[in-house]
Amino acid sequence: MPLTLKLTYNKDRVKKSGEARVYLRITIDRQTKPMKLDFYWPADKINEERAILLQRYSDDPDVQRRNLQIKNRINDITDIETQYSLRRRILTIELLFRDIGFYKRRITLVKWMEYKIMDRFNDGEIEEGTKKNGFSTIDSIKSFRKNAFIDDVNKTWLSKYSAFLRKKGSAPGTIWGRIKDIKAYLAYAEREVMLVVDTDYRNFQNSPPETDTVFLNQRELNILFDMVDSIELTQLQRRVLMAFLFQCTTSLRISDVYRANSEWNLDPKSLQFIPKKGSKRRSKKLVVPIMPGAKTFISNLDGMFFNLPTEQEYNRSLKEIAAKSQIHKNLSSHVGRHTYGYLFMKYIGNMKALQMIMGHQSPNTTQRYAHLEDEDLFNAVMKMQREINISTLKKA
């Protein structure tokens, strides 16, 4: 249905002076919403049929200016409708009122990101943590160039922003995350009809930094297996350890361990669920094969599998457990999943199978678990010796 608009005023809100707020009543697809204009006019001088204001008195100096203001606003609305039509996009009443704020204005990157982050959060597309990270990126942009417009941001701008963060002492991972955020929200801006984006920003290479993936080897994992029934652990620490070992033996992310429950079709062979990460994009359940021993770590089979504290307390408890176990590694909720990946590659060595189990979209993500320790390298060489049957070495 085409857009229609009408000059009008609220008949029930006429002042004692006879003046009323002037509106444009806009209708799109049977949805109607009034757009306020920032002035009042005598109600009996508002000609709704001709969509103009009449003179309040002879030689009224303001009538021409106000009528031009009305005409310009109508032209703006019509132009927005035309832009949507040209791009074959559907214009809604909500989009029109939003885009009036963008029209013929250069929007700063900060304002756009603030708007879009809250829009995604309110729609349930992102969670509180992602929202906080986004606003941390916004704070860093404010420190760099608060008033930078969206179309200012290109490859050169991102290069200077990256150098600014390095000079401030930001870690490589932090810089990568900040630029990743900016590029993501510029991509959202590109999809908008009324925003202008310099696509040169895409040419800025933003590769994730190389980081060491912390995992437990078999010896360290055996120590934790033995710790399960230790009297040294508090009840909270034991609950955390059981959940952590469940991670180590199933590959589940901590976000899914917190959600794991009896409705996940736990059968003798597998768990079936939609992972929390990327759930907006997924429609098919992930099937994770589960070894029988992993089930022994589940606290409750009739409801939620685990009764866990906050993730902050969970990580703090893991560090306390590591200290008691004399494991000199920085244990966190991520280490459990990393440990599963490392041990799978060590003992099974099938990267395609691991990719399917862990639910990775790209094999490059799975590659990070193909770690080998010195002992693994030696054992691999010894296995080769057995296979080629070297018994003696002939001296030259």
Side-chain angles (χ1 to χ4, degrees), residues 67 113 131 157 182-183 211 220 233 321 325 347 350 365:
N67 277 326
M113 287 185 65
K131 184 187 80 170
W157 191 97
I182 292 173
K183 293 183 77 172
T211 57
E220 293 163 332
L233 298 183
I321 292 167
S325 306
Y347 294 119
N350 188 326
T365 309

Side-chain angles (χ1 to χ4, degrees), residues 35-74:
M35 181 176 288
K36 292 181 181 179
L37 300 175
D38 60 354
F39 61 88
Y40 289 81
W41 204 257
D44 61 348
K45 301 295 183 181
I46 302 173
N47 190 321
E48 295 178 301
E49 192 172 314
R50 294 174 56 198
I52 63 169
L53 306 176
L54 304 178
Q55 291 189 105
R56 295 168 296 182
Y57 44 83
S58 180
D59 297 325
D60 187 341
D62 292 331
V63 67
Q64 186 174 356
R65 178 169 60 89
R66 293 303 188 189
N67 277 326
L68 181 60
Q69 184 177 344
I70 293 167
K71 182 180 179 181
N72 288 340
R73 180 47 59 94
I74 291 173

Side-chain angles (χ1 to χ4, degrees), residues 98-107 112 115 192 194-195:
R98 187 200 67 175
D99 285 359
I100 280 290
F102 296 157
Y103 188 69
K104 292 183 180 177
R105 290 177 57 197
R106 296 179 71 204
I107 306 301
W112 166 247
Y115 163 78
E192 298 293 334
M194 305 311 297
L195 294 181

Side-chain angles (χ1 to χ4, degrees), residues 47 100 134 173 188 198 226 231 243 264 267-268 273 316 344 365:
N47 190 321
I100 280 290
Y188 282 116
D198 185 345
D226 293 338
I231 59 173
W264 283 17
D267 60 35
F273 62 100
R316 184 166 56 245
F344 190 97
T365 309

Side-chain angles (χ1 to χ4, degrees), residues 185-372:
Y185 284 96
L186 288 173
Y188 282 116
E190 280 192 76
R191 301 172 200 168
E192 298 293 334
V193 173
M194 305 311 297
L195 294 181
V196 177
V197 178
D198 185 345
T199 56
D200 181 55
Y201 82 87
R202 299 181 201 159
N203 295 323
F204 183 82
Q205 297 299 314
N206 187 40
S207 302
E210 293 291 333
T211 57
D212 292 331
T213 301
V214 180
F215 60 88
L216 299 179
N217 58 32
Q218 184 64 66
R219 180 188 65 81
E220 293 163 332
L221 193 59
N222 287 341
I223 291 173
L224 293 184
F225 286 154
D226 293 338
M227 281 288 291
V228 168
D229 295 319
S230 172
I231 59 173
E232 294 182 49
L233 298 183
T234 66
Q235 288 186 349
L236 173 60
Q237 288 170 345
R238 187 173 186 276
R239 293 203 313 270
V240 167
L241 179 57
M242 296 280 276
F244 178 75
L245 292 175
F246 185 73
Q247 279 190 279
C248 293
T249 51
T250 61
S251 84
L252 265 66
R253 293 183 176 89
I254 187 60
S255 58
D256 292 323
V257 171
Y258 271 87
R259 298 164 54 242
N261 64 82
S262 56
E263 295 181 1
W264 283 17
N265 299 324
L266 182 67
D267 60 35
K269 294 184 178 180
S270 64
L271 286 171
Q272 298 180 44
F273 62 100
I274 296 178
K276 186 172 183 180
K277 184 175 181 179
S279 59
K280 297 291 182 181
R281 303 187 303 271
R282 293 180 183 267
S283 57
K284 186 178 180 181
K285 287 186 176 181
L286 180 65
V287 178
V288 175
I290 182 169
M291 61 185 80
K295 297 178 186 177
T296 62
F297 300 118
I298 297 174
S299 303
N300 178 23
L301 286 171
D302 296 325
M304 301 297 294
F305 286 172
F306 301 99
N307 175 22
L308 295 173
T310 64
E311 193 168 344
Q312 184 178 13
E313 292 173 296
Y314 182 98
N315 285 321
R316 184 166 56 245
S317 295
L318 284 178
K319 288 170 176 53
E320 293 167 353
I321 292 167
K324 289 182 178 182
S325 306
Q326 295 188 339
I327 294 175
H328 305 295
K329 289 182 178 177
N330 183 23
L331 289 197
S332 70
S333 58
H334 301 293
V335 176
R337 182 169 163 90
H338 294 166
T339 297
Y340 182 95
Y342 160 71
L343 294 174
F344 190 97
M345 289 303 299
K346 176 176 178 177
Y347 294 119
I348 309 302
N350 188 326
M351 192 168 295
K352 181 62 177 177
L354 182 60
Q355 180 185 349
M356 294 175 66
I357 290 170
M358 302 190 89
H360 293 153
Q361 299 295 315
S362 168
N364 293 334
T365 309
T366 316
Q367 180 69 39
R368 69 188 299 190
Y369 298 106
H371 300 286
L372 289 173

